[in-house]
Amino acid sequence: MSKSAEDPRRGETVSANRVPVWLKPCGMACAVIGGGRVGARRARRLAEAGAKVTLVSPALGPEAALLVERGLVTWIDRAYQPGDLTNFALAVAATDDPEVNAAVREEARARGIWCNRADDASDSDLDFASVIQVGEVSVSIATGGARPGLAKRLREALEQDLATGGDSFIRLLRRQADGPCADAWPPEP
């Protein structure tokens, strides 16, 4: 099966190398390597879901510093070192150094730990999707790491659409659709 294929049973596109799941990290020990914007954003999402997050970074951006100040994450004030993933179930490599991120990924692989590499989705076990929550309904939008800006714009359009009852989400999908039939997709109800 190709990377994406038509599922004949449902008439929907499925990915051959991804399975959408919702992680319940309550109490899970998670390591985030990198204290910049991306590391802070992922650490916040994990901490808000109940994970026990440890952030390893010699410096913190304002968002990460606020997480530490609020007691949402534990901070180890130094650069990543081999062995830092001992006793963790999930790791996020979110530094601005691809070599460090690759080293984190290799240690995670050797330890059997799931890892998200912020700079290389193709070398990750999981993606952080853009999510909208409306009541008890959650919608996750992912692009496999290829177009995170698009996932964010789609999420924002859907949020606005649900809040206003308009059709901004469908209009954005039509503008972003690839191929010769972009103006006709998705079909009108």
Side-chain angles (χ1 to χ4, degrees):
M1 184 182 277
S2 65
K3 187 172 182 179
S4 290
E6 188 77 14
D7 181 343
R9 296 166 294 166
R10 296 199 177 127
E12 60 190 39
T13 301
V14 295
S15 176
N17 65 351
R18 282 185 166 64
V19 176
V21 297
W22 285 86
L23 180 68
K24 297 176 184 177
C26 190
M28 181 184 288
C30 300
V32 176
I33 313 301
R37 285 182 324 125
V38 174
R41 200 166 49 240
R42 295 184 184 175
R44 179 181 43 80
R45 285 183 66 187
L46 290 165
E48 287 175 350
K52 295 177 182 175
V53 180
T54 299
L55 191 100
V56 179
S57 180
L60 298 177
E63 294 132 348
L66 190 57
L67 294 174
V68 172
E69 181 182 311
R70 290 183 176 167
L72 293 173
V73 303
T74 301
W75 178 34
I76 297 176
D77 182 5
R78 63 168 169 73
Y80 163 80
Q81 298 174 2
D84 278 351
L85 302 186
T86 302
N87 298 322
F88 287 97
L90 184 136
V92 174
T95 74
D96 59 1
D97 185 338
E99 290 181 17
V100 172
N101 292 341
V104 171
R105 174 63 175 130
E106 286 307 310
E107 180 179 348
R109 184 176 284 129
R111 293 180 180 277
I113 299 169
W114 285 22
C115 184
N116 169 260
R117 218 181 129 171
D119 65 337
D120 187 355
S122 68
D123 193 27
S124 295
D125 298 311
L126 64 136
D127 301 319
F128 280 77
S130 194
V131 177
I132 178 173
Q133 180 81 34
V134 179
E136 292 182 6
V137 176
S138 299
V139 178
S140 172
I141 301 170
T143 61
R147 297 176 70 186
L150 173 61
K152 179 181 178 183
R153 288 191 307 277
L154 289 170
R155 177 188 49 81
E156 290 169 346
L158 182 56
E159 284 174 331
Q160 179 184 358
D161 200 43
L162 293 172
T164 64
D167 65 348
S168 60
F169 185 67
I170 297 299
R171 285 193 313 265
L172 182 58
L173 282 174
R174 284 189 181 118
R175 281 197 309 269
Q176 295 297 325
D178 295 329
C181 298
D183 292 332
W185 187 88
E188 292 288 337

